[in-house]
Amino acid sequence: KKTWGNNYIKNINKLKTAVNDTYNEYLEYNGKVADALFFSTSNGYTEDSNLVFNFEASYLKSVSSPWDKEVTPTYEKQITISLTDFYKKLSLPYQDNLNIEILKRSSTNRILKLKINNKEFTGREIYKKLSIRSTDFTIQKDKDNVIITTKGYGHGVGMSQYGALGMAKLGYTYNEILTYYYQNTKVKKL
């Protein structure tokens, strides 16, 4: 009620209708219930499950998600933290020089491995330790501060919520949206 304000009744009724209209439906892959992972906002692509969660799921493969940038307020975010806090959060000794070397990116531009002042990290470690929005990021030193720019929001696996919103605004059905983000799945009734 607080967030939706005057739109509360309209939004809650829309939500109730969606729940009732899809009652007893599930997403199936090869005769089993699919693990329908989702996240807020893609950087233009979703990510393969094995690169984020170390498990392989054929229906959780990277797909293009070009709709996010147009409909989300969280597509790109920039934060500034002090160089001291940056080193502290990464358990690195303070140095005036900041040397960043990207060792490996996924095909979706997310960082898999990098070195910061000769210490190796995964993109997920940086994502967690610095509480940033995505593993698609850049890091720049600006005097006594570090500027981190991220694209997307969340782990990137499965369905992008803002990508789905963009598809819905173009007239795609929920069934089309689900089977797009979760490749080779089917919406079934219990």
Side-chain angles (χ1 to χ4, degrees):
K1 284 182 177 181
K2 185 178 178 183
T3 301
W4 286 339
N6 292 336
N7 291 322
Y8 175 76
I9 297 296
K10 180 182 97 177
N11 289 347
I12 201 70
N13 286 337
K14 187 176 179 181
L15 185 61
K16 287 178 181 180
T17 298
V19 169
N20 290 333
D21 288 353
T22 58
Y23 183 73
N24 277 340
E25 290 187 355
Y26 69 99
L27 200 59
E28 180 194 80
Y29 178 77
N30 280 349
K32 296 181 180 174
V33 176
D35 189 1
L37 299 175
F38 62 93
F39 61 100
S40 172
T41 308
S42 84
N43 66 345
Y45 297 90
T46 65
E47 188 61 273
D48 291 352
S49 62
N50 66 318
L51 294 176
V52 178
F53 297 117
N54 297 319
F55 75 88
E56 188 78 32
S58 297
Y59 58 90
L60 292 174
K61 294 289 185 190
S62 177
V63 296
S64 174
S65 186
W67 309 278
D68 301 67
K69 191 174 184 177
E70 301 302 318
V71 295
T72 182
T74 60
Y75 180 75
E76 192 170 288
K77 178 77 173 175
Q78 192 173 79
I79 62 166
T80 301
I81 60 175
S82 72
L83 191 57
T84 302
D85 285 346
F86 177 80
Y87 285 134
K88 185 187 258 182
K89 289 179 180 190
L90 297 180
S91 300
L92 289 171
Y94 184 91
Q95 293 182 35
D96 283 331
N97 290 332
L98 177 61
N99 185 23
I100 311 256
E101 183 183 354
I102 306 301
L103 301 175
K104 187 175 182 184
R105 285 188 184 267
S106 72
S107 63
T108 67
N109 207 42
R110 291 172 176 89
I111 294 176
L112 299 174
K113 288 184 183 177
L114 73 157
K115 276 187 182 177
I116 300 176
N117 292 353
N118 290 318
K119 182 174 180 189
E120 198 169 301
F121 294 92
T122 66
R124 292 281 298 162
E125 287 173 316
I126 300 300
Y127 168 81
K128 289 178 181 176
K129 289 176 185 267
L130 298 179
S131 299
I132 58 177
R133 292 177 174 240
S134 168
T135 55
D136 181 352
F137 59 85
T138 59
I139 300 173
Q140 294 177 296
K141 183 177 181 276
D142 181 28
K143 299 177 185 150
D144 292 334
N145 292 313
V146 175
I147 300 168
I148 302 168
T149 305
T150 56
K151 286 185 181 173
Y153 191 3
H155 53 67
V157 178
M159 183 182 71
S160 164
Q161 291 172 296
Y162 275 103
L165 175 62
M167 290 179 77
K169 285 183 174 204
L170 292 173
Y172 288 89
T173 67
Y174 76 94
N175 206 325
E176 291 170 320
I177 293 167
L178 290 172
T179 56
Y180 176 76
Y181 280 106
Y182 307 104
Q183 297 282 296
N184 302 309
T185 61
K186 293 177 185 160
V187 176
K188 296 246 180 149
K189 278 242 186 230
L190 288 175

